[in-house]
Amino acid sequence: MSPEQPHDNPANDLPFATQTLEEALATHDDAERVVDVDEPTQQLVLFRLNGQRFALPGSAVSEILPSDQPVYYVPGLPASTEGVLHLRGKIESVISLHQLLNLPTPEGPPSGMMLLVNAAGISSGVRIEQLDDVCEVTQSLLQAPPETLPAALRPYVSALWQVDERQALALLDPEALFDAYQQGLG
């Protein structure tokens, strides 16, 4: 089965293998379908907290740590700090974003993977419920956060990605999150 071609161009009478590039392009004049391959993209790490979908820029996430990575409780730390972990000779804090993002704190012992995030001059593990994906998204698909976004999320969401008709994903700003954490807001 071959695609139908308009018959008003003499190049259309030639088999595809014998057409020049210009002739082939002339038969398929679809300016709307041209994709800009030079459009800038951004790598995103997609994850869930309390069942809600979020993302962090891939440039801020240096590592994805398994859920069995031991975390040690340290007395006197803020409630948003789960503890510390020993990672290749370095001690890193492990924080929970639940309080900053105004999400219910999960019941039971902390579980799920961790993202090692670098922002605001610090490196810290961030506990996530589930890792969904690591993907490249074109910048044009990232929209400004709407005014209807809950007030607790506004300072920390840099963009929204409408994945499909029913799902949107909030791109978190790691600098804003870690600045707030350092100020003791979480």
Side-chain angles (χ1 to χ4, degrees):
M1 211 186 229
S2 65
E4 291 186 13
Q5 299 178 11
H7 293 288
D8 57 345
N9 187 336
N12 292 334
D13 297 332
L14 298 172
F16 286 115
T18 60
Q19 289 181 350
T20 66
L21 177 60
E22 290 79 21
E23 292 168 338
L25 290 174
T27 62
H28 300 288
D29 188 23
D30 292 331
E32 296 86 30
R33 292 187 178 185
V34 174
V35 175
D36 182 5
V37 293
D38 293 330
E39 184 174 357
T41 61
Q42 182 171 357
Q43 185 180 50
L44 300 180
V45 178
L46 313 179
F47 62 95
R48 293 176 195 254
L49 287 173
N50 281 42
Q52 295 184 35
R53 298 185 74 191
F54 294 98
L56 281 167
S59 59
V61 178
S62 61
E63 196 168 344
I64 299 170
L65 303 171
S67 59
D68 63 353
Q69 181 76 37
V71 176
Y72 304 98
Y73 174 75
V74 177
L77 291 176
S80 61
T81 306
E82 183 182 319
V84 296
L85 58 91
H86 183 258
L87 188 63
R88 291 182 292 284
K90 293 177 78 176
I91 303 296
E92 305 284 356
S93 61
V94 177
I95 64 173
S96 169
L97 299 178
H98 291 85
Q99 287 181 322
L100 273 177
L101 302 176
N102 200 27
L103 298 172
T105 305
E107 305 260 335
S111 63
M113 304 175 92
M114 286 177 278
L115 304 175
L116 191 59
V117 179
N118 301 299
I122 64 171
S123 176
S124 184
V126 173
R127 178 76 67 180
I128 61 171
E129 178 181 295
Q130 175 183 329
L131 178 69
D132 287 343
D133 200 0
V134 176
C135 63
E136 293 280 330
V137 175
T138 58
Q139 291 284 352
S140 62
L141 293 177
L142 300 176
Q143 306 163 357
E147 293 297 320
T148 57
L149 197 65
L153 287 177
R154 270 189 222 131
Y156 311 115
V157 175
S158 60
L160 216 57
W161 176 31
Q162 191 70 38
V163 178
D164 58 34
E165 293 173 359
R166 299 178 305 163
Q167 291 185 18
L169 188 138
L171 175 60
L172 299 174
D173 179 352
E175 296 287 330
L177 288 169
F178 280 16
D179 281 341
Y181 171 72
Q182 287 178 323
Q183 294 173 22
L185 300 178

Coordinates of all heavy atoms in Angstrom, one line a residue, residues 20-97:
T20 N 14.3 13.2 -6.2 CA 15.4 14.0 -5.5 C 14.7 14.5 -4.2 O 13.5 14.4 -4.0 CB 15.8 15.2 -6.3 OG1 14.7 16.1 -6.5 CG2 16.4 14.8 -7.7
L21 N 15.6 14.9 -3.3 CA 15.1 15.4 -2.0 C 14.1 16.6 -2.3 O 13.0 16.7 -1.6 CB 16.2 15.9 -1.1 CG 15.8 16.5 0.2 CD1 15.0 15.5 1.0 CD2 17.1 17.0 0.9
E22 N 14.4 17.5 -3.2 CA 13.5 18.6 -3.4 C 12.2 18.2 -4.0 O 11.1 18.7 -3.6 CB 14.2 19.6 -4.4 CG 15.3 20.4 -3.9 CD 16.6 19.6 -3.9 OE1 16.8 18.6 -4.6 OE2 17.5 19.9 -3.1
E23 N 12.2 17.1 -4.8 CA 10.9 16.6 -5.4 C 10.1 16.0 -4.3 O 8.9 16.2 -4.2 CB 11.2 15.6 -6.5 CG 11.8 16.2 -7.7 CD 12.4 15.2 -8.7 OE1 12.7 14.1 -8.3 OE2 12.5 15.6 -9.9
A24 N 10.7 15.2 -3.4 CA 10.0 14.6 -2.4 C 9.4 15.6 -1.4 O 8.3 15.4 -1.0 CB 10.9 13.6 -1.6
L25 N 10.2 16.6 -1.1 CA 9.7 17.7 -0.2 C 8.5 18.4 -0.8 O 7.6 18.8 -0.1 CB 10.8 18.6 0.2 CG 11.9 18.0 1.2 CD1 13.0 19.0 1.4 CD2 11.2 17.6 2.5
A26 N 8.6 18.6 -2.2 CA 7.5 19.4 -2.9 C 6.2 18.6 -2.8 O 5.2 19.2 -2.7 CB 7.9 19.6 -4.3
T27 N 6.3 17.3 -2.8 CA 5.1 16.5 -2.7 C 4.5 16.4 -1.3 O 3.3 16.1 -1.1 CB 5.3 15.0 -3.2 OG1 6.3 14.4 -2.3 CG2 5.8 15.0 -4.6
H28 N 5.3 16.7 -0.3 CA 4.8 16.7 1.1 C 5.0 18.0 1.7 O 5.8 18.2 2.6 CB 5.6 15.6 1.8 CG 5.4 14.2 1.3 ND1 4.2 13.6 1.4 CD2 6.2 13.5 0.6 CE1 4.4 12.4 0.8 NE2 5.6 12.3 0.3
D29 N 4.3 19.0 1.3 CA 4.4 20.4 1.8 C 3.6 20.5 3.0 O 2.5 21.1 3.0 CB 3.9 21.4 0.7 CG 4.2 22.8 1.1 OD1 5.2 23.0 1.9 OD2 3.6 23.7 0.5
D30 N 4.1 20.0 4.1 CA 3.4 20.1 5.4 C 4.2 20.9 6.4 O 4.8 20.5 7.3 CB 3.3 18.7 6.1 CG 2.3 17.8 5.3 OD1 1.4 18.3 4.7 OD2 2.5 16.5 5.3
A31 N 4.1 22.2 6.2 CA 4.8 23.2 7.1 C 4.4 23.1 8.5 O 5.2 23.3 9.4 CB 4.6 24.6 6.6
E32 N 3.1 22.7 8.8 CA 2.7 22.5 10.2 C 3.3 21.4 10.9 O 3.4 21.3 12.1 CB 1.1 22.4 10.2 CG 0.3 23.6 9.7 CD 0.1 23.5 8.2 OE1 0.1 22.4 7.6 OE2 0.1 24.6 7.6
R33 N 3.7 20.4 10.1 CA 4.2 19.2 10.7 C 5.8 19.2 11.0 O 6.3 18.3 11.5 CB 3.9 18.0 9.9 CG 2.4 17.7 9.8 CD 2.2 16.4 9.1 NE 0.8 16.1 9.1 CZ 0.3 15.0 8.7 NH1 1.1 14.1 8.1 NH2 -1.0 14.7 8.7
V34 N 6.4 20.3 10.6 CA 7.8 20.4 10.8 C 8.1 20.5 12.2 O 7.5 21.3 12.9 CB 8.4 21.5 9.9 CG1 9.9 21.7 10.2 CG2 8.2 21.3 8.5
V35 N 9.0 19.7 12.7 CA 9.4 19.8 14.1 C 10.8 20.4 14.2 O 11.7 20.1 13.5 CB 9.5 18.3 14.7 CG1 10.0 18.4 16.1 CG2 8.2 17.7 14.6
D36 N 10.9 21.4 15.1 CA 12.2 22.1 15.3 C 13.1 21.2 16.2 O 12.9 21.1 17.4 CB 11.9 23.4 16.0 CG 13.2 24.2 16.2 OD1 14.2 23.8 15.7 OD2 13.1 25.3 16.8
V37 N 14.0 20.6 15.5 CA 14.9 19.7 16.3 C 15.9 20.4 17.1 O 16.5 19.9 18.0 CB 15.7 18.7 15.3 CG1 14.7 17.8 14.7 CG2 16.5 19.5 14.3
D38 N 16.0 21.7 16.9 CA 16.9 22.5 17.7 C 16.2 23.2 18.9 O 16.8 24.0 19.6 CB 17.5 23.6 16.9 CG 18.5 23.1 15.8 OD1 19.1 22.0 16.1 OD2 18.6 23.7 14.7
E39 N 14.9 22.9 19.2 CA 14.2 23.4 20.3 C 14.9 23.0 21.6 O 15.1 21.8 21.7 CB 12.7 23.0 20.3 CG 11.9 23.7 21.3 CD 10.5 23.4 21.3 OE1 10.0 22.7 20.3 OE2 9.8 23.8 22.2
P40 N 15.1 23.9 22.5 CA 15.8 23.5 23.7 C 14.9 22.6 24.6 O 13.7 22.7 24.6 CB 16.0 24.8 24.5 CG 15.2 25.8 23.8 CD 14.8 25.3 22.4
T41 N 15.6 21.6 25.2 CA 14.9 20.7 26.1 C 15.4 20.8 27.5 O 16.4 21.4 27.7 CB 15.0 19.2 25.6 OG1 16.4 18.9 25.6 CG2 14.5 19.0 24.2
Q42 N 14.7 20.2 28.4 CA 15.1 20.1 29.8 C 14.9 18.7 30.3 O 13.8 18.1 30.1 CB 14.3 21.1 30.6 CG 14.8 21.1 32.1 CD 14.2 22.3 32.9 OE1 13.5 23.1 32.4 NE2 14.5 22.3 34.2
Q43 N 15.9 18.2 31.0 CA 15.7 16.8 31.5 C 15.0 17.0 32.9 O 15.3 17.9 33.7 CB 17.1 16.2 31.8 CG 17.0 14.8 32.3 CD 18.4 14.2 32.5 OE1 19.2 14.7 33.2 NE2 18.6 13.0 32.0
L44 N 14.0 16.1 33.1 CA 13.2 16.1 34.3 C 13.3 14.8 35.0 O 13.3 13.7 34.3 CB 11.7 16.5 34.0 CG 11.5 17.8 33.3 CD1 10.0 17.9 33.1 CD2 12.0 19.0 34.1
V45 N 13.3 14.8 36.3 CA 13.2 13.6 37.1 C 11.8 13.6 37.7 O 11.4 14.5 38.5 CB 14.2 13.5 38.2 CG1 14.1 12.3 39.1 CG2 15.7 13.6 37.6
L46 N 10.9 12.7 37.2 CA 9.5 12.6 37.6 C 9.3 11.7 38.8 O 9.8 10.5 38.7 CB 8.7 12.1 36.4 CG 8.9 12.8 35.1 CD1 8.0 12.2 34.0 CD2 8.8 14.3 35.1
F47 N 8.6 12.1 39.8 CA 8.4 11.3 41.0 C 7.1 11.6 41.6 O 6.4 12.5 41.2 CB 9.5 11.5 42.0 CG 9.7 12.9 42.5 CD1 9.1 13.3 43.7 CD2 10.4 13.9 41.8 CE1 9.2 14.6 44.1 CE2 10.5 15.2 42.2 CZ 9.9 15.5 43.4
R48 N 6.7 10.9 42.7 CA 5.5 11.1 43.4 C 5.7 11.3 44.9 O 6.6 10.6 45.4 CB 4.6 9.9 43.2 CG 4.1 9.7 41.8 CD 3.2 8.5 41.6 NE 3.1 8.2 40.2 CZ 2.0 8.3 39.5 NH1 0.9 8.8 40.1 NH2 1.9 8.0 38.3
L49 N 4.9 12.1 45.4 CA 4.9 12.3 46.9 C 3.4 12.3 47.2 O 2.6 13.1 46.7 CB 5.4 13.7 47.3 CG 6.9 13.9 47.2 CD1 7.3 15.3 47.5 CD2 7.6 13.0 48.2
N50 N 3.0 11.4 48.1 CA 1.6 11.3 48.5 C 0.7 11.1 47.3 O -0.4 11.6 47.2 CB 1.1 12.5 49.3 CG 1.5 12.4 50.8 OD1 2.7 12.0 51.0 ND2 0.7 12.7 51.7
G51 N 1.2 10.4 46.3 CA 0.4 10.1 45.1 C 0.4 11.3 44.1 O -0.1 11.1 43.0
Q52 N 0.9 12.4 44.5 CA 0.9 13.6 43.5 C 2.2 13.6 42.7 O 3.2 13.2 43.3 CB 0.7 14.9 44.3 CG -0.6 15.0 45.0 CD -0.7 16.4 45.7 OE1 -0.2 17.4 45.2 NE2 -1.4 16.4 46.9
R53 N 2.0 14.0 41.5 CA 3.2 13.9 40.6 C 3.9 15.3 40.6 O 3.4 16.3 40.5 CB 2.7 13.7 39.2 CG 2.0 12.3 39.1 CD 1.7 11.9 37.7 NE 2.9 11.6 37.0 CZ 3.0 11.4 35.7 NH1 1.9 11.6 35.0 NH2 4.1 11.1 35.1
F54 N 5.3 15.1 40.7 CA 6.2 16.3 40.7 C 7.4 16.0 39.9 O 7.6 14.8 39.5 CB 6.6 16.6 42.2 CG 5.6 17.0 43.1 CD1 5.0 16.2 44.0 CD2 5.2 18.4 43.1 CE1 4.0 16.6 44.9 CE2 4.2 18.8 44.0 CZ 3.6 17.9 44.9
A55 N 8.2 17.0 39.6 CA 9.4 16.8 38.9 C 10.5 17.8 39.5 O 10.1 18.8 40.0 CB 9.2 17.1 37.4
L56 N 11.7 17.4 39.3 CA 12.8 18.3 39.6 C 13.7 18.3 38.3 O 13.7 17.3 37.6 CB 13.7 17.7 40.7 CG 13.1 17.9 42.1 CD1 13.9 17.1 43.2 CD2 13.2 19.4 42.5
P57 N 14.4 19.4 38.1 CA 15.2 19.5 36.9 C 16.3 18.4 37.1 O 16.9 18.3 38.2 CB 15.8 20.9 37.0 CG 15.0 21.7 37.9 CD 14.3 20.7 38.8
G58 N 16.6 17.8 36.0 CA 17.7 16.7 36.0 C 19.0 17.3 36.4 O 19.9 16.6 36.9
S59 N 19.2 18.6 36.1 CA 20.5 19.2 36.4 C 20.8 19.4 37.9 O 21.9 19.5 38.3 CB 20.6 20.6 35.7 OG 19.5 21.4 36.2
A60 N 19.7 19.3 38.7 CA 19.8 19.5 40.1 C 20.0 18.1 40.8 O 20.4 18.0 41.9 CB 18.6 20.2 40.7
V61 N 19.6 17.0 40.1 CA 19.6 15.7 40.7 C 20.9 15.0 40.3 O 21.1 14.7 39.1 CB 18.4 14.9 40.3 CG1 18.5 13.5 40.9 CG2 17.1 15.6 40.7
S62 N 21.8 14.8 41.2 CA 23.1 14.1 40.9 C 23.0 12.6 41.0 O 23.9 11.9 40.4 CB 24.2 14.7 41.8 OG 24.0 14.4 43.1
E63 N 22.1 12.1 41.7 CA 22.0 10.6 41.9 C 20.7 10.2 42.4 O 20.0 10.9 43.1 CB 23.1 10.2 42.9 CG 23.5 8.8 42.9 CD 24.7 8.5 43.8 OE1 25.5 9.5 44.1 OE2 24.9 7.4 44.1
I64 N 20.3 9.0 42.0 CA 19.1 8.4 42.5 C 19.5 7.2 43.4 O 20.2 6.3 42.9 CB 18.2 7.9 41.3 CG1 17.8 9.0 40.5 CG2 17.0 7.1 41.9 CD1 17.1 8.7 39.1
L65 N 19.2 7.3 44.7 CA 19.6 6.3 45.7 C 18.5 5.3 45.9 O 17.3 5.7 46.0 CB 20.0 7.0 46.9 CG 21.0 8.1 46.8 CD1 21.2 8.9 48.1 CD2 22.4 7.5 46.4
P66 N 18.9 4.0 46.1 CA 17.9 3.0 46.4 C 17.2 3.2 47.7 O 17.7 3.9 48.6 CB 18.7 1.7 46.4 CG 20.1 2.1 46.7 CD 20.2 3.5 46.2
S67 N 16.0 2.6 47.9 CA 15.2 2.7 49.1 C 15.9 2.0 50.3 O 15.6 2.4 51.4 CB 13.8 2.1 48.9 OG 13.9 0.8 48.6
D68 N 16.8 1.1 50.1 CA 17.5 0.4 51.2 C 18.7 1.2 51.7 O 19.4 0.7 52.6 CB 17.8 -1.0 50.8 CG 18.8 -1.1 49.7 OD1 19.2 -0.1 49.1 OD2 19.3 -2.2 49.4
Q69 N 19.0 2.4 51.2 CA 20.1 3.2 51.7 C 19.8 3.5 53.2 O 18.8 4.1 53.5 CB 20.2 4.5 50.9 CG 21.3 5.4 51.3 CD 22.6 4.9 50.8 OE1 22.8 4.3 49.7 NE2 23.7 5.1 51.6
P70 N 20.7 3.2 54.1 CA 20.4 3.4 55.5 C 20.5 4.9 55.8 O 21.4 5.6 55.4 CB 21.5 2.7 56.3 CG 22.5 2.3 55.3 CD 21.9 2.4 53.9
V71 N 19.5 5.4 56.6 CA 19.4 6.8 57.1 C 19.4 6.7 58.6 O 18.7 5.9 59.2 CB 18.1 7.4 56.6 CG1 18.0 8.8 57.1 CG2 18.1 7.5 55.1
Y72 N 20.3 7.5 59.2 CA 20.5 7.5 60.6 C 19.8 8.7 61.2 O 20.1 9.9 60.8 CB 22.0 7.5 60.9 CG 22.7 6.3 60.3 CD1 23.4 6.5 59.1 CD2 22.6 5.1 60.9 CE1 24.0 5.4 58.5 CE2 23.2 4.0 60.2 CZ 23.9 4.2 59.0 OH 24.5 3.1 58.4
Y73 N 19.0 8.5 62.2 CA 18.3 9.5 63.0 C 19.3 10.3 63.8 O 20.2 9.7 64.5 CB 17.2 8.9 63.8 CG 16.5 9.9 64.7 CD1 15.6 10.8 64.2 CD2 16.8 10.0 66.1 CE1 15.0 11.8 65.0 CE2 16.2 10.9 66.9 CZ 15.3 11.8 66.3 OH 14.7 12.8 67.1
V74 N 19.2 11.6 63.8 CA 20.0 12.5 64.7 C 19.1 13.3 65.5 O 18.3 14.1 65.0 CB 20.9 13.4 63.8 CG1 21.7 14.3 64.7 CG2 21.8 12.6 62.9
P75 N 19.2 13.2 66.9 CA 18.3 14.0 67.7 C 18.5 15.5 67.6 O 19.6 15.9 67.3 CB 18.7 13.6 69.1 CG 19.5 12.3 69.0 CD 20.1 12.3 67.6
G76 N 17.4 16.2 67.7 CA 17.5 17.7 67.6 C 17.3 18.3 66.3 O 17.3 19.5 66.1
L77 N 17.2 17.5 65.2 CA 17.1 18.0 63.9 C 15.6 18.4 63.7 O 14.7 17.9 64.3 CB 17.5 17.0 62.8 CG 18.9 16.6 62.7 CD1 19.2 15.5 61.7 CD2 19.8 17.9 62.4
P78 N 15.3 19.4 62.8 CA 13.9 19.7 62.5 C 13.1 18.6 62.0 O 13.7 17.6 61.5 CB 14.1 20.8 61.4 CG 15.5 21.1 61.2 CD 16.3 20.1 62.0
A79 N 11.8 18.6 62.1 CA 10.9 17.6 61.7 C 11.0 17.2 60.3 O 10.8 16.1 59.8 CB 9.5 17.9 62.1
S80 N 11.4 18.2 59.4 CA 11.5 18.0 58.0 C 12.8 17.3 57.6 O 13.0 16.9 56.5 CB 11.4 19.3 57.2 OG 12.5 20.2 57.7
T81 N 13.7 17.1 58.6 CA 15.0 16.3 58.4 C 14.8 14.9 58.9 O 14.6 14.7 60.1 CB 16.2 17.0 59.0 OG1 16.2 18.4 58.6 CG2 17.5 16.3 58.7
E82 N 14.8 14.0 58.0 CA 14.6 12.6 58.4 C 15.9 12.1 59.1 O 15.7 11.2 60.0 CB 14.4 11.8 57.1 CG 14.1 10.3 57.3 CD 13.9 9.6 56.0 OE1 13.3 10.1 55.1 OE2 14.5 8.5 55.9
G83 N 17.0 12.5 58.7 CA 18.3 12.1 59.3 C 19.4 12.4 58.4 O 19.4 13.3 57.6
V84 N 20.4 11.5 58.5 CA 21.6 11.7 57.6 C 22.0 10.3 57.0 O 21.6 9.3 57.6 CB 22.8 12.3 58.4 CG1 22.6 13.7 58.9 CG2 23.3 11.4 59.5
L85 N 22.7 10.4 55.9 CA 23.2 9.1 55.3 C 24.7 9.3 55.1 O 25.2 10.4 54.9 CB 22.4 8.8 54.1 CG 22.3 9.7 52.9 CD1 23.5 9.5 51.9 CD2 21.0 9.6 52.2
H86 N 25.3 8.2 55.0 CA 26.8 8.2 54.8 C 26.9 7.7 53.3 O 26.5 6.6 53.0 CB 27.5 7.2 55.7 CG 29.0 7.2 55.5 ND1 29.6 6.2 54.9 CD2 29.9 8.1 55.9 CE1 30.9 6.4 54.9 NE2 31.1 7.6 55.5
L87 N 27.4 8.6 52.5 CA 27.5 8.3 51.0 C 28.9 8.5 50.6 O 29.4 9.7 50.4 CB 26.5 9.1 50.3 CG 26.3 8.8 48.8 CD1 25.7 7.4 48.6 CD2 25.3 9.8 48.2
R88 N 29.7 7.4 50.3 CA 31.0 7.5 49.8 C 31.9 8.5 50.6 O 32.5 9.4 50.0 CB 31.0 7.8 48.3 CG 30.5 6.7 47.5 CD 30.5 7.0 46.0 NE 29.6 8.0 45.6 CZ 28.3 7.9 45.4 NH1 27.7 6.8 45.7 NH2 27.6 8.9 45.0
G89 N 31.9 8.4 51.9 CA 32.7 9.2 52.7 C 32.2 10.6 53.1 O 32.8 11.3 53.8
K90 N 31.0 10.9 52.6 CA 30.4 12.2 52.9 C 29.1 11.9 53.7 O 28.4 11.0 53.5 CB 30.1 13.0 51.6 CG 31.3 13.4 50.9 CD 30.9 14.1 49.6 CE 30.5 15.5 49.9 NZ 30.2 16.3 48.7
I91 N 28.8 12.9 54.6 CA 27.5 12.8 55.3 C 26.6 13.8 54.7 O 26.9 14.9 54.5 CB 27.8 13.2 56.8 CG1 28.8 12.3 57.5 CG2 26.4 13.2 57.6 CD1 28.4 10.9 57.6
E92 N 25.4 13.3 54.3 CA 24.4 14.1 53.6 C 23.1 14.0 54.4 O 22.7 13.0 55.0 CB 24.1 13.5 52.2 CG 25.3 13.4 51.3 CD 25.7 14.7 50.7 OE1 25.1 15.8 51.0 OE2 26.8 14.7 50.0
S93 N 22.4 15.1 54.6 CA 21.1 15.2 55.2 C 20.1 14.5 54.3 O 20.3 14.5 53.1 CB 20.7 16.6 55.6 OG 20.6 17.4 54.5
V94 N 19.0 14.1 54.9 CA 17.9 13.6 54.1 C 16.7 14.3 54.6 O 16.3 14.3 55.8 CB 17.7 12.0 54.4 CG1 16.4 11.5 53.6 CG2 18.9 11.3 53.9
I95 N 16.0 15.0 53.7 CA 14.9 15.9 54.0 C 13.6 15.3 53.4 O 13.6 14.6 52.4 CB 15.1 17.3 53.6 CG1 15.2 17.5 52.1 CG2 16.3 17.9 54.3 CD1 15.3 19.0 51.7
S96 N 12.5 15.7 54.0 CA 11.2 15.4 53.5 C 10.6 16.7 53.0 O 10.6 17.7 53.7 CB 10.4 14.8 54.6 OG 9.0 14.7 54.2
L97 N 10.0 16.7 51.9 CA 9.3 17.9 51.3 C 7.9 18.0 51.7 O 7.2 19.0 51.4 CB 9.4 17.8 49.8 CG 10.8 17.8 49.2 CD1 10.7 17.7 47.7 CD2 11.6 19.0 49.6

